[in-house]
Structure formats: structure tokens, C-alpha cells
Amino acid sequence: MKSLIFALALALLVTACSHPLEIVGDGDILSASGNRDCLLEDHEAAAKDCTENIVTGDYLETYYGVPRAGWHFHRWGNYCGNAAGNACSFDVSAEAVDQMWGVTVAPLVAIFRPDVITGFNALLIGHSFFHPFSVSLPAHTDQAGFDDHQQSAFFSGGASGAPLALWENAAKRGQIQSVLDGGDIELFGMTYHPDYPGMEGYRNWVNYALARNPDTRFFIGLPWLPFPAQLSAAEYDATWHGFHPAIAHGIVDNLRDEYPGVDFYCIPYGQSAVELRNLFAADNLPEVDTLIGGASDAIYLDQLGHADNILLDLGALVWLRAIYGVDLETYPDNPAYQTNLRAIGQAIIDGHDRGYNAPWIMGSR
């Protein structure tokens, strides 16, 4: 009898494959057959119903992502990336299953999100036109009531702060990867530098981040143009409004095509410099005495275009609205300025192409 049982078990292994079920967030994976359910408690206990999910014969099954209270189903990972609802179906012949005997295929991942965003665990990497806004973000999230916001920020100057440059820097890459290895990064922000115009760097970081947390969200923050004195205010404005959609929207489009269902958006905080520059040219920026200077009375600190205080403060408000959807009109104003930076920041995001804003601030979760 023992020999018969062993033979039957061996035959099962020879003709079976494993299709694990994984859960991100709070919810269950239920099956139409009722035989392949993976409950949240089972997943947390690493039960075989979830970690193995043995498949034999014809694989005809539909799975449903069912959220727990206070959560909603967001999407499937690895399969059914373009599914409109919470169902993911498989119709695989017994012959195809047999050909995969003994193989563990990529898991089906159900991703659930909380109904209310109380703060992201963020990872922010970039250069000196990006990093100061990373540094200032926690003070704003505290004031805005996002108590669960936490972050790790990494800086490297100039072109070395581009995603590909940071990936190719072994020391920096190791530091950033160690944060991602925790598996709890929810928001990953990167920037752009023209010395690295391709997609390779973004793709490398996205692949690594999604392998650690399939529900990582990503944004690209495009800064303002350098060497501002080389262009008039009108030229600066026109160049930015051509440059931003071509670069930032193009990167987002490429990533969305490659990673269906994953959230990619961009933050047009570089427009902060454009708006301040236009006000200054119209003699309507009382806080600024000169375009470039180093006494906190300019838009830029130096000829390269590093931000002085007013540009830093406006850009930080743009980040806050872009990431968390804060209504800047009701957000406490900065008493140091006569100029209403809140209204400018609000207008920058509200005037940005809605298709490239974060979906959770545009009414979609």
C-alpha cells in the first residue's frame, strides 16, 4: 500500500506544475471552483494553498481579488495586467500543463490598496535640481496631516544623479537597493538629466523595485532648464512647455507600455521656475530683486540655475499637491511672501495634462 501511495504521489509530481498565489495588501484570492482559494491568513502563514497551488490536468480557473474592509482591489500582477475588473481567468490544456511538469511558474499576485492614503513610504533619488524637494517633503506632509509618510532620499550631483548613472555607480546602487530590499517602498521618484536620455536606467530601477514590491508607484520629476540667463522669459516659457511633454510624458508613456497596470506619472515642478520668471519679467514678483544672486532675493542662486528660496518653496508645494493631492488653496501660506505661491502651485498641477498626474489625486485609486 505504501508503494502504491508513493507511486501515485510521484505520478502527480511528474504531471503537475505549481502556480503560487500571492497577496499584497489586505484581501483574499477566491477561485470560481472554490478549490483554489488563498485567504489573507493563509498567505501570511505561507500555506501550501497559496505557496504551491498545484495544477494537474486542464487548468480551467477564474480567480477573484476580494478586498477586506477599508481596502479595495487595485490590479493583478504578472497576469491579466489589462483586466478591467477583479477577475483573472486561466484556460490551459492538460497537454500544456504536462509540458511544465515540476515547474513553478510566476505567481498570480492580487494587489490591494487602502481606501484612505495616510502616507507613502517613499524612495527619492536624484541631483541638485531634485534632491532639495525630497528633503523638504517630510515637513510639508507633517503639516498636511499625512502622518505615515516616511522616506529615504539619495543625492548625486549633476548628471551623476540620473537614474542610469546611479545604477552604474556600484556604491550608490547598493545603498538604494538595500532600501528596496525591504519590500515596503510604495513610491519611487526619479529625475532626468540630458546626458542620459534613454530608458535603460528607469527600466533597471523599475524592474528591481517591482521584484521587491509589485505595488510600487513611480514618478518622474522633470526640473527647470539650466543656465536661465541665456534665454528671455518668453523663450524660457516656450522651451519648457515643449521640453516637458516631449521628455517627461514620453518617459511615462514608454514605461506604461512596458509595465501595464503599474502607476507611472510625472511632476512638472520645473514649471515653478517658469512661472516665477514670468512674474519677475512683468515686474510682479516683489520678493525678487534679481534673476540670479546669492542673498535669498533671487529666483536662482547661480548661473547654472540652482534654486534660491522662493523657487524651492514653490516647487515644494507643487510636489505636495502632485503626490498627495493637497488643496493648496487651504494649505497654510508662507508669510514671508506677498506672492501667493499656493495659488501658483495649485495652477501648475491643475493645468498639467490630467493623464500624466497621479491617478489617486485625479479620482482614481
Side-chain angles (χ1 to χ4, degrees):
M1 179 61 71
K2 290 182 178 179
S3 298
L4 177 59
I5 293 173
F6 176 78
L8 290 173
L10 182 62
L12 177 63
L13 290 174
V14 167
T15 59
C17 66
S18 177
H19 188 197
L21 306 175
E22 294 184 3
I23 296 171
V24 175
D26 284 11
D28 305 309
I29 299 177
L30 302 182
S31 58
S33 69
N35 298 322
R36 297 182 179 279
D37 295 350
C38 173
L39 303 182
L40 178 62
E41 292 79 9
D42 297 334
H43 177 260
E44 292 174 341
K48 289 185 178 180
D49 288 347
C50 303
T51 61
E52 294 185 4
N53 189 29
I54 298 298
V55 177
T56 59
D58 293 326
Y59 187 23
L60 301 173
E61 188 63 274
T62 297
Y63 296 98
Y64 301 93
V66 181
R68 296 288 178 96
W71 293 71
H72 60 272
F73 177 78
H74 176 56
R75 68 176 180 88
W76 294 105
N78 292 330
Y79 308 88
C80 302
N82 293 315
N86 69 331
C88 184
S89 298
F90 294 87
D91 183 354
V92 184
S93 69
E95 180 182 2
V97 171
D98 289 347
Q99 292 175 355
M100 296 294 290
W101 68 267
V103 173
T104 298
V105 299
L108 173 65
V109 184
I111 298 173
F112 302 92
R113 287 181 173 176
D115 292 339
V116 178
I117 295 173
T118 57
F120 295 121
N121 186 8
L123 173 61
L124 309 166
I125 63 173
H127 45 53
S128 59
F129 281 29
F130 178 93
H131 184 68
F133 304 98
S134 304
V135 173
S136 67
L137 185 59
H140 284 287
T141 57
D142 285 348
Q143 191 168 5
F146 292 93
D147 298 334
D148 292 328
H149 177 88
Q150 53 185 308
Q151 66 180 55
S152 300
F154 293 88
F155 165 76
S156 193
S160 69
L164 182 56
L166 288 166
W167 181 268
E168 292 176 340
N169 182 323
K172 292 285 188 181
R173 183 177 71 245
Q175 293 170 1
I176 297 168
Q177 286 177 331
S178 69
V179 174
L180 291 168
D181 288 342
D184 57 355
I185 291 299
E186 300 165 300
L187 178 67
F188 191 167
M190 295 175 274
T191 188
Y192 171 83
H193 194 282
D195 286 3
Y196 291 88
M199 294 298 301
E200 181 182 356
Y202 300 102
R203 191 179 297 113
N204 289 344
W205 286 117
V206 169
N207 287 338
Y208 196 91
L210 290 177
R212 273 65 188 172
N213 178 11
D215 194 28
T216 308
R217 318 172 194 215
F218 301 87
F219 76 80
I220 309 302
L222 200 69
W224 54 92
L225 301 170
F227 302 106
Q230 296 180 0
L231 297 172
S232 69
E235 291 169 334
Y236 201 73
D237 186 308
T239 304
W240 160 262
H241 282 98
F243 170 75
H244 179 263
I247 300 299
H249 294 182
I251 292 170
V252 169
D253 286 340
N254 286 331
L255 291 172
R256 286 175 176 174
D257 288 344
E258 292 187 37
Y259 304 91
V262 179
D263 287 332
F264 295 97
Y265 70 105
C266 56
I267 300 181
Y269 72 99
Q271 190 174 337
S272 303
V274 174
E275 301 303 330
L276 293 175
R277 182 78 182 272
N278 286 338
L279 288 173
F280 180 68
D283 198 24
N284 196 23
L285 192 60
E287 298 84 4
V288 170
D289 296 327
T290 181
L291 184 67
I292 299 170
S296 300
D297 61 351
I299 298 176
Y300 310 96
L301 286 173
D302 52 33
Q303 295 296 324
L304 180 59
H306 287 101
D308 207 341
N309 289 347
I310 194 168
L311 178 50
L312 291 173
D313 290 338
L314 177 55
L317 292 174
V318 172
W319 272 49
L320 182 63
R321 180 155 180 76
I323 293 173
Y324 285 113
V326 172
D327 182 358
L328 298 179
E329 294 289 358
T330 61
Y331 188 66
D333 205 351
N334 188 336
Y337 301 111
Q338 297 178 49
T339 303
N340 189 346
L341 298 187
R342 295 177 306 163
I344 299 171
Q346 186 104 340
I348 288 173
I349 293 301
D350 292 358
H352 186 225
D353 187 325
R354 291 172 60 91
Y356 295 93
N357 285 339
W360 53 93
I361 75 167
M362 303 311 298
S364 172
R365 299 175 295 185

